[in-house]
Amino acid sequence: MKKIFIPVFILAVGAMILMSAWPSIVDSRKPVNMFIAKAKAEGALPLLQFVNAPQEGDAVQAEIAKFNSMSGGIKLTAGVFLASENMDSLLHYNIQSPAFIIFDADGKVSVQQNGLANAAELIKMTQDVHTH
């Protein structure tokens, strides 16, 4: 009886730990959250752009490249996500597509704006963003 108790106890504790950690594991595997983590690891500020069509995403990437050449030190990395495939993220951030979100260095939402990202507007918006 005592020989069975220890393995059963270890399995029960392991199952409880896995059940409590599972929602966090699933949430961290979402493409939006994986992009944010990768951008922060690279030392850039993540910008999530939600679009309705791939052509809008191409225009945003061009604007981000223009911003990075003009910004003077702040580097943005844009992740373009189709709204139709990321409805849970749109609901989480309470936005409608097209819209974008800029996160600061701590991973907090710094800018949340409707429309497509524009280099000139981004320069104004990122002046007060915590970068390190």
Side-chain angles (χ1 to χ4, degrees), residues 10 12 21-22 26 51 65 73-75 77 88 91 93 100 102 111 126 130:
I10 291 172
W22 190 253
V26 170
V51 296
I74 297 175
K75 181 184 174 198
T77 300
D88 56 340
L91 292 172
Y93 294 111
F100 64 92
I102 300 173
V111 175
T126 56
H130 174 68

Coordinates of all heavy atoms in Angstrom, one line a residue, residues 10 12 21-22 26 51 65 73-75 77 88 91 93 100 102 111 126 130:
I10 N 2.5 11.7 -6.6 CA 3.3 12.5 -7.5 C 2.5 12.7 -8.8 O 2.5 13.8 -9.4 CB 4.7 11.7 -7.9 CG1 5.6 11.8 -6.6 CG2 5.4 12.4 -9.1 CD1 6.8 11.0 -6.7
A12 N -0.7 12.8 -9.1 CA -1.8 13.7 -8.8 C -1.3 15.2 -8.7 O -2.0 16.1 -9.2 CB -2.5 13.3 -7.4
A21 N -1.7 25.3 -15.2 CA -0.8 26.0 -16.1 C -1.3 25.9 -17.6 O -0.9 26.7 -18.4 CB 0.6 25.4 -16.1
W22 N -2.2 25.0 -17.9 CA -2.7 24.8 -19.2 C -3.2 26.1 -19.9 O -2.9 26.4 -21.0 CB -3.7 23.7 -19.3 CG -4.0 23.3 -20.7 CD1 -5.1 23.5 -21.4 CD2 -3.1 22.6 -21.6 NE1 -5.0 23.1 -22.7 CE2 -3.7 22.5 -22.8 CE3 -1.8 22.2 -21.5 CZ2 -3.1 21.9 -23.9 CZ3 -1.2 21.6 -22.6 CH2 -1.9 21.4 -23.8
V26 N -1.7 27.6 -23.4 CA -2.4 27.8 -24.7 C -2.4 29.3 -25.1 O -2.2 29.6 -26.3 CB -3.9 27.3 -24.4 CG1 -4.8 27.8 -25.6 CG2 -4.0 25.8 -24.2
V51 N -5.6 43.8 -40.1 CA -6.0 44.2 -41.4 C -7.1 43.3 -41.9 O -7.3 42.2 -41.4 CB -4.8 44.3 -42.4 CG1 -3.8 45.3 -42.0 CG2 -4.3 42.9 -42.6
A65 N 9.0 50.3 -42.4 CA 10.4 50.5 -42.8 C 10.7 52.0 -42.9 O 11.8 52.4 -42.6 CB 10.5 49.8 -44.2
G73 N 16.4 55.9 -33.6 CA 16.7 55.1 -32.5 C 15.6 54.1 -32.0 O 15.9 53.0 -31.6
I74 N 14.4 54.5 -32.2 CA 13.3 53.6 -31.8 C 13.1 52.7 -33.0 O 12.9 53.1 -34.2 CB 12.0 54.4 -31.5 CG1 12.2 55.3 -30.3 CG2 10.8 53.4 -31.3 CD1 11.0 56.1 -30.0
K75 N 13.0 51.4 -32.7 CA 12.8 50.4 -33.8 C 11.5 49.7 -33.5 O 11.3 49.2 -32.4 CB 13.9 49.4 -33.9 CG 13.8 48.4 -34.9 CD 14.8 47.3 -34.9 CE 14.5 46.2 -35.9 NZ 15.3 45.0 -35.7
T77 N 8.8 46.7 -34.8 CA 8.7 45.5 -35.6 C 7.2 45.3 -35.8 O 6.5 45.2 -34.8 CB 9.3 44.3 -35.0 OG1 10.7 44.5 -34.8 CG2 9.1 43.0 -35.8
D88 N -10.4 36.6 -31.7 CA -10.2 36.6 -30.2 C -9.3 37.7 -29.8 O -9.5 38.3 -28.7 CB -9.7 35.2 -29.7 CG -8.4 34.8 -30.4 OD1 -8.1 35.3 -31.5 OD2 -7.7 33.9 -29.8
L91 N -11.2 41.0 -29.9 CA -12.1 41.1 -28.8 C -11.4 41.4 -27.5 O -11.8 42.2 -26.7 CB -12.9 39.8 -28.6 CG -14.0 39.6 -29.7 CD1 -14.6 38.2 -29.6 CD2 -15.1 40.6 -29.7
Y93 N -8.5 43.1 -27.1 CA -8.1 44.5 -27.0 C -9.2 45.4 -27.3 O -9.0 46.7 -27.3 CB -6.9 44.7 -28.0 CG -5.7 43.9 -27.6 CD1 -5.2 42.8 -28.4 CD2 -5.0 44.3 -26.5 CE1 -4.1 42.2 -28.0 CE2 -3.9 43.6 -26.1 CZ -3.4 42.5 -26.9 OH -2.3 41.8 -26.5
F100 N -4.3 49.2 -35.0 CA -3.0 48.8 -34.6 C -2.7 49.1 -33.1 O -3.4 50.0 -32.6 CB -1.8 49.4 -35.5 CG -1.7 50.9 -35.4 CD1 -0.8 51.5 -34.5 CD2 -2.4 51.7 -36.2 CE1 -0.7 52.8 -34.4 CE2 -2.3 53.0 -36.2 CZ -1.4 53.6 -35.3
I102 N 0.6 49.4 -30.3 CA 2.1 49.4 -30.0 C 2.3 49.1 -28.5 O 1.6 49.7 -27.7 CB 2.7 50.8 -30.3 CG1 2.5 51.2 -31.8 CG2 4.2 50.8 -30.0 CD1 2.9 52.6 -32.2
V111 N 0.1 52.4 -27.2 CA -0.8 53.1 -28.2 C -1.7 52.1 -28.8 O -1.4 51.0 -29.2 CB 0.1 53.7 -29.4 CG1 -0.8 54.3 -30.4 CG2 1.1 54.7 -28.8
T126 N 5.2 57.7 -30.8 CA 6.2 56.9 -30.1 C 7.1 57.8 -29.3 O 8.0 57.2 -28.6 CB 7.0 56.0 -31.1 OG1 7.6 56.9 -32.1 CG2 6.2 55.0 -31.7
H130 N 7.7 54.1 -23.5 CA 8.8 53.6 -22.7 C 9.6 52.5 -23.6 O 9.0 51.5 -23.9 CB 8.3 53.0 -21.5 CG 9.3 52.3 -20.6 ND1 10.3 52.9 -20.0 CD2 9.5 51.0 -20.3 CE1 11.1 52.1 -19.3 NE2 10.6 50.9 -19.5

